[in-house]
Amino acid sequence: SIKIIRPELKLEKVLSVGDAQVRLKGYADLVEERGGKTSILDYKTGKTEKNDIIKFDIEEITKEEKYKQPLQLLTYAYLLNGNLPASTPPYRCGIVSLQSAATNNECTFSFEVDKELLDIFSKKLVSLFEEIFNSEISFTQTEDDKHCKWCDYNVICGRGSSEN
C-alpha cells in the first residue's frame, strides 16, 4: 500500500562543521510510505541517466556533476532522517523522469539509503564544507561556462552573459 506523507515537503537541518553551523534546506517533491519504507521522490522534466542515479560512486558524489541527482536525493534523505516521526533508514530514493514516462519507458530510477550510507554521506558533507571554509585552499572558477548562466555572481566576473 502507498501512503502519501507530504508533497513538496520542506526539509531543513543544521550541520556542524568545526565551529561553524551550516543550514541545509530543500524541498522534496514527494515523500510517501510504500511497503513500510519511506520513499523520497524527485520529479525531473529534463534528461535523466539511469546509471548515474543507481550506480553512483559515493566517494565522487560531491565532485562529479553526473551524480547531481543522487547527491540531491542523498541530501534529502540526510535532511529527512530524524525529522519526521517514524522516519528512519532505510529510505528508497528515486527520480521520476517525466521525459522517460512520455516515451513509455521505465521512468522511476531508485536506490536504497541505509544508515551506513547516510553516515558516510554525512561525513562527505562535513568534509565538503571544511574544504569550502578552508582559507588555505584557493577558490578556482568553474571551467564550464554553462554553470555561469545560473550563478548569482556572474555579473562580477562577466562570464554570465545571456549567450552562455
Side-chain angles (χ1 to χ4, degrees):
S1 74
I2 299 171
K3 175 185 170 191
I4 294 178
I5 296 172
R6 188 167 304 148
E8 286 293 316
L9 178 62
K10 181 179 182 181
L11 300 165
E12 197 169 344
K13 192 180 266 189
V14 174
L15 177 68
S16 294
V17 181
D19 294 336
Q21 301 290 305
V22 178
R23 181 176 306 278
L24 299 172
K25 56 184 167 178
Y27 289 87
D29 287 342
L30 180 63
V31 177
E32 64 183 19
E33 188 178 300
R34 185 183 291 246
K37 227 178 252 183
T38 301
S39 294
I40 304 165
L41 299 172
D42 195 63
Y43 291 82
K44 298 292 184 194
T45 56
K47 188 174 181 183
T48 303
E49 293 294 334
K50 178 180 180 179
N51 282 338
D52 292 342
I53 295 165
I54 64 172
K55 294 182 181 177
F56 62 89
D57 180 349
I58 189 65
E59 294 305 317
E60 298 296 318
I61 198 158
T62 60
K63 295 177 171 67
E64 290 286 333
E65 184 180 355
K66 69 181 182 175
Y67 298 138
K68 66 184 175 187
Q69 292 171 345
L71 173 64
Q72 179 182 14
L73 290 170
L74 275 168
T75 301
Y76 290 162
Y78 170 78
L79 295 173
L80 183 68
N81 188 32
N83 278 342
L84 280 180
S87 175
T88 58
Y91 301 115
R92 180 179 160 263
C93 292
I95 296 289
V96 178
S97 170
L98 300 179
Q99 194 175 73
S100 294
T103 58
N104 294 321
N105 291 325
E106 180 184 10
C107 66
T108 303
F109 313 121
S110 63
F111 58 92
E112 188 167 290
V113 178
D114 60 14
K115 184 176 179 344
E116 181 182 353
L117 183 56
L118 267 182
D119 289 343
I120 292 168
F121 182 68
S122 174
K123 290 175 181 143
K124 297 294 284 175
L125 278 178
V126 169
S127 177
L128 175 65
F129 283 106
E130 285 173 343
E131 184 179 329
I132 290 170
F133 295 155
N134 186 343
S135 61
E136 302 291 314
I137 299 174
S138 297
F139 174 80
T140 55
Q141 195 170 25
T142 183
E143 294 177 18
D144 187 349
D145 289 352
K146 288 185 286 185
H147 295 274
C148 300
K149 182 176 180 182
W150 308 108
C151 177
D152 291 335
Y153 305 100
N154 60 25
V155 294
I156 295 171
C157 69
R159 291 175 68 185
S161 73
S162 59
E163 296 169 17
N164 285 347

XYZ file of all heavy atoms in Angstrom, residues 6-12 25-32 39-43 72-73 75-77 79-80 84 93-94:
240
model
N 3.709 13.593 2.380
C 3.543 15.003 2.042
C 4.201 15.298 0.696
O 5.337 14.937 0.462
C 4.188 15.878 3.108
C 3.853 17.363 2.867
C 4.172 18.252 4.026
N 3.505 17.809 5.228
C 4.018 17.963 6.444
N 5.161 18.537 6.612
N 3.367 17.535 7.501
N 3.474 16.005 -0.185
C 4.124 16.536 -1.383
C 4.826 17.841 -1.028
O 4.435 18.521 -0.066
C 2.949 16.776 -2.341
C 1.767 16.958 -1.448
C 2.042 16.193 -0.189
N 5.844 18.189 -1.772
C 6.586 19.444 -1.561
C 6.960 19.629 -0.095
O 6.695 20.664 0.512
C 5.774 20.651 -2.052
C 5.725 20.772 -3.551
C 7.075 21.087 -4.182
O 7.816 21.951 -3.669
O 7.400 20.456 -5.199
N 7.617 18.612 0.466
C 7.994 18.641 1.876
C 9.261 19.467 2.061
O 10.304 19.166 1.476
C 8.216 17.224 2.398
C 8.670 17.097 3.848
C 7.615 17.674 4.792
C 8.956 15.645 4.185
N 9.157 20.532 2.867
C 10.327 21.359 3.175
C 11.163 20.627 4.210
O 10.667 20.213 5.259
C 9.900 22.725 3.717
C 11.082 23.624 4.015
C 10.644 24.982 4.535
C 11.863 25.863 4.784
N 11.459 27.171 5.317
N 12.441 20.466 3.889
C 13.375 19.774 4.767
C 14.469 20.741 5.178
O 14.949 21.531 4.362
C 13.987 18.573 4.039
C 12.991 17.513 3.575
C 13.641 16.580 2.576
C 12.463 16.748 4.769
N 14.870 20.662 6.432
C 15.880 21.599 6.927
C 16.625 20.956 8.090
O 16.046 20.248 8.902
C 15.163 22.865 7.405
C 16.043 24.053 7.565
C 15.236 25.333 7.767
O 14.021 25.357 7.484
O 15.839 26.299 8.223
N 18.832 23.168 3.467
C 17.397 23.002 3.285
C 17.081 22.679 1.839
O 17.868 22.960 0.937
C 16.616 24.219 3.765
C 16.991 25.536 3.159
C 16.184 26.637 3.829
C 16.733 27.990 3.489
N 15.948 29.059 4.079
N 15.931 22.086 1.656
C 15.480 21.734 0.323
C 14.030 21.314 0.379
O 13.436 21.203 1.451
N 13.461 21.088 -0.785
C 12.076 20.652 -0.902
C 12.037 19.335 -1.679
O 12.402 19.299 -2.849
C 11.234 21.694 -1.648
C 10.984 22.947 -0.853
C 11.894 23.992 -0.876
C 9.839 23.071 -0.069
C 11.674 25.146 -0.138
C 9.610 24.213 0.666
C 10.528 25.249 0.630
O 10.304 26.379 1.367
N 11.602 18.289 -1.025
C 11.411 17.007 -1.702
C 10.062 17.053 -2.416
O 9.058 17.449 -1.820
C 11.443 15.863 -0.698
N 10.042 16.668 -3.681
C 8.793 16.724 -4.444
C 7.704 15.858 -3.826
O 6.543 16.255 -3.764
C 9.026 16.301 -5.897
C 9.772 17.355 -6.696
O 9.811 18.521 -6.268
O 10.311 17.006 -7.763
N 8.077 14.661 -3.354
C 7.087 13.768 -2.763
C 7.760 12.839 -1.762
O 8.783 12.228 -2.067
C 6.392 12.936 -3.850
C 5.316 11.958 -3.382
C 4.140 12.698 -2.741
C 4.827 11.106 -4.545
N 7.173 12.747 -0.578
C 7.600 11.766 0.421
C 6.387 10.884 0.686
O 5.295 11.380 0.966
C 8.091 12.440 1.724
C 8.462 11.388 2.769
C 9.278 13.351 1.442
N 6.598 9.582 0.545
C 5.495 8.637 0.724
C 5.989 7.407 1.465
O 7.199 7.183 1.561
C 4.903 8.241 -0.634
C 5.862 7.502 -1.527
C 5.315 7.168 -2.911
O 4.334 7.796 -3.342
O 5.875 6.275 -3.546
N 9.752 6.584 1.098
C 10.297 6.882 -0.227
C 10.382 8.389 -0.410
O 9.457 9.112 -0.041
C 9.402 6.311 -1.331
O 9.396 4.914 -1.297
N 11.494 8.835 -0.978
C 11.711 10.243 -1.298
C 11.841 10.315 -2.812
O 12.750 9.715 -3.386
C 13.002 10.769 -0.639
C 12.959 10.546 0.874
C 13.217 12.239 -0.983
C 14.304 10.700 1.556
N 10.912 11.028 -3.445
C 10.903 11.091 -4.903
C 11.079 12.521 -5.387
O 10.552 13.464 -4.798
C 9.590 10.526 -5.451
C 9.314 9.058 -5.123
C 7.910 8.669 -5.553
C 10.346 8.162 -5.779
N 11.816 12.649 -6.470
C 12.010 13.941 -7.111
C 11.629 13.775 -8.576
O 12.059 12.821 -9.230
C 13.466 14.390 -6.976
C 13.628 15.858 -7.285
O 13.041 16.679 -6.546
O 14.318 16.186 -8.256
N 10.817 14.678 -9.068
C 10.353 14.614 -10.451
C 11.247 15.487 -11.321
O 11.555 16.627 -10.963
C 8.898 15.095 -10.550
C 7.946 14.126 -9.898
C 7.732 14.136 -8.529
C 7.286 13.178 -10.668
C 6.872 13.222 -7.929
C 6.414 12.272 -10.079
C 6.225 12.300 -8.709
O 5.375 11.392 -8.126
N 21.445 15.146 -4.695
C 20.229 15.819 -4.241
C 19.385 14.878 -3.381
O 18.933 15.240 -2.298
C 19.428 16.310 -5.448
C 18.138 17.002 -5.094
C 17.353 17.418 -6.337
O 17.621 16.989 -7.452
N 16.365 18.260 -6.131
N 19.194 13.641 -3.842
C 18.374 12.685 -3.102
C 19.022 12.291 -1.778
O 18.330 12.170 -0.761
C 18.114 11.443 -3.960
C 17.177 11.652 -5.144
C 17.182 10.440 -6.064
C 15.766 11.966 -4.678
N 20.974 14.159 -0.050
C 20.810 15.323 0.818
C 19.415 15.325 1.423
O 19.246 15.566 2.619
C 21.086 16.628 0.043
O 22.417 16.591 -0.478
C 20.935 17.838 0.951
N 18.398 15.034 0.623
C 17.035 14.954 1.147
C 16.930 13.864 2.215
O 16.294 14.052 3.251
C 16.025 14.677 0.037
C 15.803 15.808 -0.928
C 15.217 15.580 -2.166
C 16.170 17.116 -0.622
C 14.986 16.610 -3.065
C 15.952 18.147 -1.519
C 15.363 17.887 -2.737
O 15.142 18.919 -3.619
N 17.535 12.695 1.978
C 17.496 11.608 2.968
C 18.183 12.049 4.259
O 17.686 11.796 5.360
C 18.160 10.352 2.398
N 18.485 15.128 5.334
C 17.632 16.136 5.974
C 16.387 15.503 6.603
O 15.915 15.949 7.646
C 17.215 17.203 4.963
C 18.333 18.068 4.384
C 17.800 18.965 3.280
C 19.015 18.889 5.462
N 15.854 14.478 5.966
C 14.648 13.818 6.455
C 14.920 12.979 7.698
O 14.090 12.908 8.597
C 14.053 12.926 5.352
C 12.745 12.215 5.675
C 11.617 13.236 5.795
C 12.422 11.207 4.594
N 11.024 13.462 10.786
C 9.614 13.072 10.737
C 9.419 11.903 11.694
O 10.292 11.044 11.795
C 9.218 12.602 9.328
C 8.923 13.647 8.279
C 8.564 12.973 6.965
C 7.801 14.574 8.698
N 15.120 6.159 -2.352
C 15.245 7.467 -3.003
C 15.154 7.268 -4.500
O 15.830 6.397 -5.058
C 16.590 8.106 -2.658
S 16.725 8.577 -0.933
N 14.339 8.100 -5.151
C 14.170 7.901 -6.576
C 13.897 9.165 -7.357
O 13.405 10.155 -6.823
